Amino acid sequence: MPAKVAHTSWRKHRRAAWLGRLVGLALLACLPAHAGMDDSAETVRIGVLAFRGAETTVSEWSPMLDRLSRSRADRRFELLKLDHDGLRSAVADRRVDFVITNPGHYVELEAEFGISRILTLAGSSTVSPDQAIGSAVVVRRDRTDLQSLEDLRGKSLAIVGREGFGGFQIVWGELSSRGIDPDRDLSALRSVGLPMDGVLDAVERADVDAGVVRACLLESMGSRSANFRVLSPQTPSAFPCTTSTRLYPDWPMAALRHTSPALAREVAIALLSATEGTGPGWSVPADYQSVHELFRTLEIGPYTYLREPTLTDLAERYWPWLLGVLALMASGALYTVHVEHLVHKRTAALRAALAERETLEAGIRAAQEQADHLSRLSMLGELSGTLAHELNQPLATIGNYAASLSRRVDNGRLDDDAVRQATHEITCEAERAAAILSRIRAFARKRTAKRERFRPAQVAAEAIALFRGMLAQAPRVELIDHLAEDRTVEADPLQIQQVLLNLLKNAYDASRDQPAERRALQLGMTAVADGICLWVRDNGPGLDEAARRHLFEPFFTTKPDGLGLGLSICKTIAEAHGGRLTATPPETGPGMIFTLTLPDHA
């Protein structure tokens, strides 16, 4: 503790001690014997530290109770004989109105519960209440090896308990002033508890080397005292007993916070006015500054905060909190293990679900590719009749030119120009037939879907060429391109071509029974905010609202010989690319407009 703080604390306690004395004197001078008496309380409980046992305590304090009972017949005074812990518990629970205890215990209760002393014991007229309590360290008389307190190094010592003032704390202060730490330098520090006579029993049986008792206890033992000897004996002036330590104030009587001031004045006046022979004598409150200085030196009681806390001290002081923290940590650890177990369990289940989902998606993709392939084959089957006619044209042309060459050879009219013209025409028609077959074979080939960037105009042109090449009397298809020349889109070009070809084939079927001017089709391309639109318009009779609601459902068809799978597959292809396929009637004119919208992934 810093010197300035210690000095300030000492001054505060000094002022409090003198203020207590002045209050006591003022009470005696100013109050009549029965002034301000509180008649509301019937029983007054006085808690006493029974350091020598219950029987001795009763015989010692009964005269005081008789004196108080005679002073107020309307009150019943009760004596509670308690040890240190019991007296503290009674103060905390407000089960007593007054306490009589040793000076050290009083200082602790004063700091913790705010009790205030009203009187101090005055044992005899020759002993000052300020210098009345000391401690004696006793050994067996035959222990000649022990003469002073310094000889206790390495020896065992019996005490009442660490909370005992005359039974340990005073001697602890003396040992500390000699550089002896009881916990470190003694071989054993044995607590025997109350009553204090148990310390003498332990020394006499040689269970310990020495013991600590309150000064004057040995002198009160009669002939038994001859078996013991006091270490470092002192006989202070006007003190009737031998002690090993300096002297401290006598026991105080203190009132609790809930005790009424009127009752405290009544008890104080009754005890101060007692005559000799009617019980223990009392005086105004003594100065307990020396007790505070002892506790400050030992860093105990209200000065425990000065001690550097060790792990043991912290554990003793905060063990409920420490236990709570450990319980929380244990709960947290168990919860963490439980959560980790659940995470591992659910992660395994999620992995299994993802694997199953991937397997299902792979199966769906394979089934979709198979459906797309079958849809293309179905479309080729529908066009197979006109396909033969379309191939017959280049084949017939090739045959005519070959026959013409043969006739000219036979007639002798074959010249170089005729050969060149015939071979050129034969080559062109052969290439035309080969192109038709190549487009059909590429369209019908089964392969894995593959996305790439391409120009929509190129795919639209190839779809128109394939469409016209497979029909004997193909209608005119007008290509309307509103896209930039370098505009591209990311998709599977074959699947987009399949959708456009299916839409062109449906538009042809819807309008082939119309007059010639209404058989023309339109395929357009337009840019939108998030991608492009490819649309096909026909000039047929159109569809009613009921048919449009079910148009993209599987197996729904408006054709007498249709399967109802073409538009359903086209819608699936559009959604697989993140787009959509819609059917709406035009704002003006007959027919329907089918629109394929593709997002621009770039």
Side-chain angles (χ1 to χ4, degrees):
M1 177 183 238
K4 184 175 181 181
V5 177
H7 181 65
T8 302
S9 177
W10 178 86
R11 290 178 62 187
K12 289 181 178 178
H13 287 293
R14 191 72 175 178
R15 287 197 297 268
W18 281 108
L19 181 60
R21 287 191 173 191
L22 291 174
V23 170
L25 292 173
L27 290 174
L28 287 177
C30 299
L31 293 177
H34 300 288
M37 294 176 62
D38 185 3
D39 296 330
S40 62
E42 295 182 357
T43 302
V44 179
R45 294 179 175 84
I46 303 175
V48 178
L49 180 64
F51 75 100
R52 290 200 64 189
E55 294 183 2
T56 304
T57 301
V58 170
S59 63
E60 184 176 358
W61 297 105
S62 290
M64 181 192 71
L65 289 183
D66 295 340
R67 169 61 184 168
L68 292 174
S69 297
R70 287 195 302 271
S71 66
R72 284 301 301 265
D74 56 341
R75 294 187 185 276
R76 185 168 62 89
F77 290 87
E78 181 180 347
L79 191 69
L80 301 182
K81 304 166 287 297
L82 305 166
D83 59 10
H84 291 85
D85 293 335
L87 192 57
R88 181 191 176 281
S89 176
V91 172
D93 298 339
R94 303 174 65 174
R95 290 187 282 111
V96 293
D97 302 294
F98 298 93
V99 294
I100 301 174
T101 186
N102 66 54
H105 198 210
Y106 161 72
V107 168
E108 294 181 4
L109 296 178
E110 179 188 38
E112 186 173 1
F113 300 105
I115 68 173
S116 56
R117 61 190 181 276
I118 60 174
L119 297 171
T120 295
L121 271 175
S124 68
S125 59
T126 60
V127 178
S128 170
D130 292 327
Q131 303 288 322
I133 293 181
S135 296
V137 180
V138 298
V139 296
R140 288 174 46 171
R141 187 166 292 278
D142 57 358
R143 290 295 301 267
T144 57
D145 57 319
L146 299 176
Q147 298 295 330
S148 64
L149 296 180
E150 286 80 359
D151 296 333
L152 290 176
R153 291 182 184 272
K155 301 298 189 295
S156 57
L157 184 67
I159 61 175
V160 171
R162 301 186 74 93
E163 70 280 2
F165 184 68
F168 175 62
Q169 293 170 348
I170 296 178
V171 172
W172 184 5
E174 293 293 334
L175 293 177
S176 296
S177 66
R178 289 167 168 78
I180 300 175
D181 185 342
D183 295 310
R184 186 183 65 244
D185 298 325
L186 301 182
S187 63
L189 191 64
R190 182 178 301 176
S191 297
V192 299
L194 295 175
M196 191 172 284
D197 300 45
V199 174
L200 296 177
D201 295 339
V203 174
E204 197 169 27
R205 292 193 305 267
D207 294 339
V208 293
D209 297 304
V212 179
V213 295
R214 179 178 171 179
C216 296
L217 176 63
L218 193 61
E219 286 78 359
S220 67
M221 304 297 294
S223 60
R224 187 185 180 189
S225 63
N227 299 329
F228 303 97
R229 182 168 45 82
V230 178
L231 298 185
S232 298
Q234 304 177 35
T235 307
S237 174
F239 191 72
C241 307
T242 302
T243 176
S244 302
T245 67
R246 68 194 72 182
L247 300 178
Y248 292 87
D250 213 332
W251 284 30
M253 183 177 191
L256 276 65
R257 283 181 174 175
H258 70 271
T259 306
S260 69
L263 178 60
R265 287 193 299 269
E266 176 186 341
V267 170
I269 292 171
L271 294 180
L272 286 171
S273 61
T275 59
E276 187 174 355
T278 58
W282 296 92
S283 70
V284 295
D287 182 3
Y288 288 82
Q289 180 59 32
S290 58
V291 182
H292 283 279
E293 292 175 353
L294 173 64
F295 278 26
R296 187 184 301 111
T297 300
L298 298 178
E299 297 177 347
I300 60 175
Y303 302 97
T304 306
Y305 69 90
L306 297 174
R307 184 186 310 165
E308 275 191 36
T310 62
L311 292 178
T312 303
D313 294 333
L314 293 175
E316 291 178 355
R317 186 181 306 174
Y318 301 110
W319 70 266
W321 293 95
L322 182 61
L323 186 62
V325 170
L326 292 177
L328 287 176
M329 293 175 62
S331 300
L334 291 176
Y335 179 75
T336 302
V337 171
H338 177 65
V339 170
E340 288 290 337
H341 173 69
L342 291 180
V343 168
H344 287 306
K345 182 179 178 181
R346 293 174 182 174
T347 301
L350 181 60
R351 288 198 185 100
L354 289 176
E356 184 178 357
R357 177 181 175 180
E358 290 176 357
T359 302
L360 291 174
E361 289 179 348
I364 290 173
R365 285 194 297 270
Q368 182 63 42
E369 291 172 2
Q370 181 69 16
D372 295 345
H373 177 62
L374 293 176
S375 175
R376 291 193 293 270
L377 293 180
S378 174
M379 192 180 302
L380 289 176
E382 293 181 19
L383 300 174
S384 59
T386 58
L387 179 60
H389 174 75
E390 185 67 15
L391 287 175
N392 280 335
Q393 291 183 356
L395 293 176
T397 303
I398 291 172
N400 289 335
Y401 278 105
S404 174
L405 287 175
S406 297
R407 286 195 298 271
R408 290 192 178 194
V409 169
D410 295 337
N411 296 333
R413 293 186 293 107
L414 184 64
D415 53 17
D416 294 340
D417 292 337
V419 172
R420 289 190 186 94
Q421 182 181 2
T423 55
H424 176 70
E425 293 295 334
I426 290 173
T427 302
C428 290
E429 293 300 323
E431 291 176 351
R432 176 185 173 190
I436 293 172
L437 292 175
S438 177
R439 284 195 297 270
I440 293 173
R441 184 168 54 186
F443 185 74
R445 185 174 66 247
K446 184 178 181 180
R447 66 174 182 82
T448 303
K450 179 180 179 182
R451 295 190 181 186
E452 59 186 51
R453 298 202 70 83
F454 61 89
R455 292 180 60 247
Q458 180 180 354
V459 172
E462 291 177 356
I464 293 174
L466 184 60
F467 172 71
R468 292 179 59 83
M470 292 189 299
L471 293 175
Q473 297 178 348
R476 180 174 62 87
V477 180
E478 179 184 3
L479 180 61
I480 303 174
D481 188 359
H482 293 302
L483 299 177
E485 186 176 353
D486 58 348
R487 183 63 181 269
T488 60
V489 69
E490 183 178 345
D492 186 338
L494 182 60
Q495 289 185 340
I496 301 304
Q497 187 183 74
Q498 176 182 346
V499 172
L500 294 178
L501 188 60
N502 192 290
L503 296 180
L504 289 171
K505 175 64 172 57
N506 288 345
Y508 167 73
D509 291 338
S511 59
R512 63 181 172 179
D513 295 333
Q514 302 298 321
E517 63 273 9
R518 291 181 55 182
R519 294 176 191 168
L521 308 178
Q522 290 180 335
L523 194 160
M525 294 170 288
T526 307
V528 293
D530 56 349
I532 64 169
C533 290
L534 293 92
W535 50 270
V536 174
R537 176 177 178 177
D538 63 74
N539 293 291
L543 298 172
D544 57 22
E545 180 65 27
R548 290 201 301 271
R549 281 199 304 268
H550 303 283
L551 192 58
F552 297 105
E553 295 178 0
F555 307 110
F556 176 81
T557 181
T558 58
K559 302 177 184 179
D561 55 350
L563 296 177
L565 293 175
L567 287 178
S568 175
I569 292 175
C570 290
K571 184 173 183 290
T572 302
I573 292 174
E575 292 175 349
H577 285 78
R580 61 186 183 276
L581 181 63
T582 59
T584 57
E587 295 181 0
T588 59
M592 289 291 296
I593 299 177
F594 286 80
T595 304
L596 171 64
T597 303
L598 295 175
D600 191 351
H601 295 286

